[in-house]
Amino acid sequence: MSVKDEIPAVFLEKISPRGLEAIQKTKDFVNDYCLPADKIYYEQISTDPATRWTQVPPIIETLKTKARELGLWNMFLSKHYKEGPQYTNLEYGLMARYLGRSHTGPEATNTNAPDTGNMELFAKYGTEHQKEKYLKPLLDGKIRSAFLMTEKGTSSSNALNILTSAVKNKRGNYVLNGVKWFASGAGDPRCAVWLIMCKTDDNKEKPYRNHTVLIVDAKRALESGKAKLIRPLHVIGFDDAPHGHCEISFTDYEIPSDEMPHVVMAGEGRGFELIQSRLGPGRIHHCMRAIGTGEFALMRIAQRANHRIIFGKPMNQRESFLYKYAQSKIDIERCFLLVLNAAHKIDISNAKLAQREIAMAKIETPRTISDILDWGIQVFGAEGVSQDVELARMYALNRTLRIADGPDEAHLSQLARNEAKKFTEIDKYFANFDSQQQKLAKF
C-alpha cells in the first residue's frame, strides 16, 4: 500500500513531494531491512557480562550504510536547522510512525533518542567548537550521547528540583557532586558526551535561572574515577544492552581547565529554557514511534487471531475480538490525528505555542498504545510475555513513555491549569447567550 493511502486526507496536501518520497522510502526500508534485522540484532548482543556492554551488534552498521544510501539520515532535523535534510516536523513524524515498528529502525537512520534531542540542542545553541567536537560526529553516527537529568529520590519532572551541583572552585573550574540515573544511552561504548542538568545557583527570586546544562566529555570523566557508571537499570526486566539506562555518580569531579571554556551550553542559568526547547519536538518523535508500535502490535494480534482456536472457533471470528480490534483501530487513529496536529502546529508556529497540542498528544498516545499492547499480550497468552514475540519488550518501552519527558499527571495538571484560565471567557459567552435570548424573546 502506498503511504499516500495511509496519511489522513487533511494533512496529505501539506506534505511536499520530496517529503512524500522520503516517507515511502522509510516505510519500505523498515519493512525490507529493519524488521528482518531486529531478530539478528538481539541474537548478536553478547550474553557474556564481560562483553555485553562493550560490543555493538554489527548488523547496525550494515543498516546504517543502507539507510545512508537511500538518503534516510538525520530526518528529524527540521527546516529550522541547516545541518539536517530540513523536512517539516509533520513529514518526519510520518516517517517516525514507520520507524517505531522496528527496534533497529531509529538507530539505523540516526534518529534515535536521546541523540535526536541532544543534536537539536547542539544545532540550536552550540558554539562552533561544540558543534565541531560533538555535533559533527553525532550527525555522522560516529559517537553516541546521553542526557543526564533524572535523579534518584527527586521529583525530576519539575526541573527546579534538580540537585546535582556544579560549583566553581578557586581555579574557576566547575566541581560536580550528585547522582543521576536513567541516563539513557550512557551504557553504549560509543557514548562520548554527556549533557548534564546541574544546579549552578540558588537564587530564590529567580528559580528558573538556577540551572545550567554542562557539556562533559564522558570518557574523560569516567577515566578520572570521580565520575562512576554505577549500573545499568532494568526497565520492567530489560537492561536494553548495550544502550542502557544508567546510574552515574559524581564525587568532586572537577571539569578540566581546558574544557571549561566550552563546557556551558548557551550560557549559565539557561538550563530550564534548554530542556523545554529539547522536549517539545522530542515528545512528538516518541508519540509517532508509539503510533507505529501500536499499528505493528495490531498486525501481530491479527496474525495470532487467524490461527488461535478458542473452543472450536478461530478467534478472528469471535465478535468480542472483532469489536476490540475495531475499537483499537479507532483509538490509534485518534492518537495519530492528535500527534500530527501537534507536529503541524510546531511547523507553523513553534513548540511553545503548540504546548497545548503537544500535551494532549503526549498524555493520550502512550497510555492508549500501552492498553493495546497489554491486550495483545493477553491475546497471545503465555507467549505474549516471553521473548518469542515483540510485545513484552514493546510494552516495557512504551510504558516508560508515560513517565519519560514528564509523567501523565504533570502534563494533565499543566493542561488543566491552562484550560481553567478560559473559564472566565466561558462565563462571558453564556452571559452574551442569555442576553441574546432575552432580546429574541421580545420579537
Side-chain angles (χ1 to χ4, degrees):
M1 180 185 293
S2 167
V3 293
K4 289 181 68 174
D5 299 322
E6 298 179 317
I7 298 173
V10 69
F11 293 108
L12 186 57
E13 65 179 18
K14 305 180 189 308
I15 309 298
S16 68
R18 174 174 170 266
L20 198 62
E21 180 184 8
I23 295 164
Q24 184 67 58
K25 280 186 177 181
T26 302
K27 179 184 179 181
D28 295 340
F29 176 62
V30 168
N31 285 335
D32 296 343
Y33 294 93
C34 298
L35 286 169
D38 282 353
K39 186 173 186 292
I40 299 171
Y41 176 90
Y42 290 121
E43 289 173 346
Q44 289 180 345
I45 296 174
S46 175
T47 56
D48 181 355
T51 57
R52 186 169 177 79
W53 296 93
T54 62
Q55 299 174 354
V56 177
I59 191 66
I60 277 294
E61 290 302 320
T62 302
L63 292 173
K64 286 163 72 173
T65 299
K66 185 62 182 178
R68 298 191 81 154
E69 288 176 5
L70 294 169
L72 298 175
W73 194 254
N74 294 332
M75 301 93 75
F76 70 95
L77 275 175
S78 69
K79 59 182 182 178
H80 302 294
Y81 302 100
K82 66 179 188 300
E83 292 88 352
Q86 303 187 339
Y87 295 110
T88 64
N89 282 289
L90 179 63
E91 289 169 340
Y92 172 63
L94 289 161
M95 297 177 217
R97 170 195 191 182
Y98 298 110
L99 294 172
R101 297 181 178 186
S102 163
H103 180 80
T104 55
E107 185 173 356
T109 51
N110 213 39
T111 60
N112 44 303
D115 293 338
T116 48
N118 294 341
M119 284 189 269
E120 284 201 55
L121 285 183
F122 277 118
K124 187 173 183 179
Y125 298 102
T127 64
E128 288 307 311
H129 179 276
Q130 291 164 349
K131 289 181 179 181
E132 184 65 26
K133 184 174 182 180
Y134 294 119
L135 179 58
K136 188 175 179 180
L138 279 168
L139 287 171
D140 204 29
K142 297 291 178 61
I143 64 171
R144 298 293 308 274
S145 63
F147 195 95
L148 281 60
M149 179 172 168
T150 307
E151 295 181 357
K152 192 174 185 178
T154 301
S155 180
S156 305
S157 58
N158 180 355
L160 300 183
N161 294 331
I162 297 299
L163 297 175
T164 293
S165 63
V167 180
K168 287 184 178 178
N169 59 16
K170 293 180 180 179
R171 287 186 292 277
N173 296 347
Y174 285 117
V175 177
L176 274 63
N177 282 283
V179 179
K180 298 287 189 180
W181 71 343
F182 286 98
S184 296
D188 195 301
R190 300 162 297 176
C191 184
V193 58
W194 296 334
L195 275 63
I196 311 175
M197 183 73 161
C198 296
K199 189 169 185 179
T200 50
D201 201 353
D202 194 22
N203 189 329
K204 298 294 190 296
E205 295 181 0
K206 297 181 179 179
Y208 290 96
R209 299 286 295 176
N210 286 336
H211 293 82
T212 303
V213 173
L214 301 184
I215 304 166
V216 173
D217 185 316
K219 296 186 184 298
R220 196 172 182 184
L222 290 171
E223 287 169 359
S224 74
K226 294 189 176 182
K228 295 183 179 179
L229 202 161
I230 298 172
R231 58 175 176 157
L233 292 145
H234 288 197
V235 177
I236 314 184
F238 296 99
D239 65 4
D240 285 339
H243 182 70
H245 311 280
C246 300
E247 184 174 352
I248 301 170
S249 69
F250 298 93
T251 306
D252 295 327
Y253 174 62
E254 181 178 348
I255 301 294
S257 296
D258 61 312
E259 286 186 37
M260 276 301 296
H262 313 291
V263 74
V264 174
M265 177 169 277
E268 193 170 284
R270 295 183 68 184
F272 193 87
E273 173 193 345
L274 265 61
I275 62 166
Q276 289 302 109
S277 171
R278 181 182 187 275
L279 290 176
R283 287 168 178 148
I284 296 301
H285 302 170
H286 280 319
C287 287
M288 284 306 301
R289 286 193 293 266
I291 296 293
T293 298
E295 290 177 327
F296 185 81
L298 278 185
M299 288 192 286
R300 276 288 191 218
I301 290 168
Q303 179 193 34
R304 176 63 166 158
N306 287 340
H307 302 283
R308 189 172 190 182
I309 306 299
I310 305 294
F311 297 112
K313 187 176 182 180
M315 181 178 282
N316 65 7
Q317 295 178 18
R318 295 193 170 271
E319 287 191 359
S320 59
F321 171 83
L322 293 171
Y323 286 167
K324 176 64 176 176
Y325 191 86
Q327 184 61 55
S328 296
K329 282 284 189 179
I330 294 170
D331 294 342
I332 288 178
E333 189 74 7
R334 180 183 68 248
C335 293
F336 193 25
L337 292 170
L338 279 172
V339 181
L340 291 180
N341 185 52
H344 184 55
K345 184 71 176 287
I346 295 174
D347 286 331
I348 61 176
S349 56
N350 56 55
K352 187 172 183 179
L353 293 177
Q355 186 181 56
R356 175 178 178 271
E357 289 77 12
I358 293 170
M360 287 183 173
K362 171 64 173 70
I363 294 163
E364 186 65 9
T365 305
R367 66 184 183 186
T368 297
I369 302 306
S370 286
D371 287 344
I372 290 170
L373 287 166
D374 184 74
W375 176 56
I377 289 170
Q378 197 73 10
V379 168
F380 270 84
E383 187 180 5
V385 296
S386 77
Q387 70 269 43
D388 286 357
V389 290
E390 307 90 341
L391 298 179
R393 184 179 290 276
M394 285 179 165
Y395 180 85
L397 175 62
N398 193 80
R399 182 61 182 82
T400 64
L401 293 184
R402 295 185 60 192
I403 301 169
D405 296 346
D408 290 358
E409 293 78 5
H411 289 289
L412 275 166
S413 178
Q414 182 65 51
L415 180 64
R417 287 196 299 271
N418 289 339
E419 291 300 310
K421 293 175 183 176
K422 303 173 185 176
F423 287 178
T424 303
E425 293 301 314
I426 293 173
D427 264 352
K428 291 178 182 178
Y429 171 84
F430 281 107
N432 182 65
F433 178 85
D434 292 340
S435 175
Q436 287 297 109
Q437 191 177 52
Q438 291 171 10
K439 289 179 182 178
L440 288 171
K442 295 177 181 178
F443 287 106

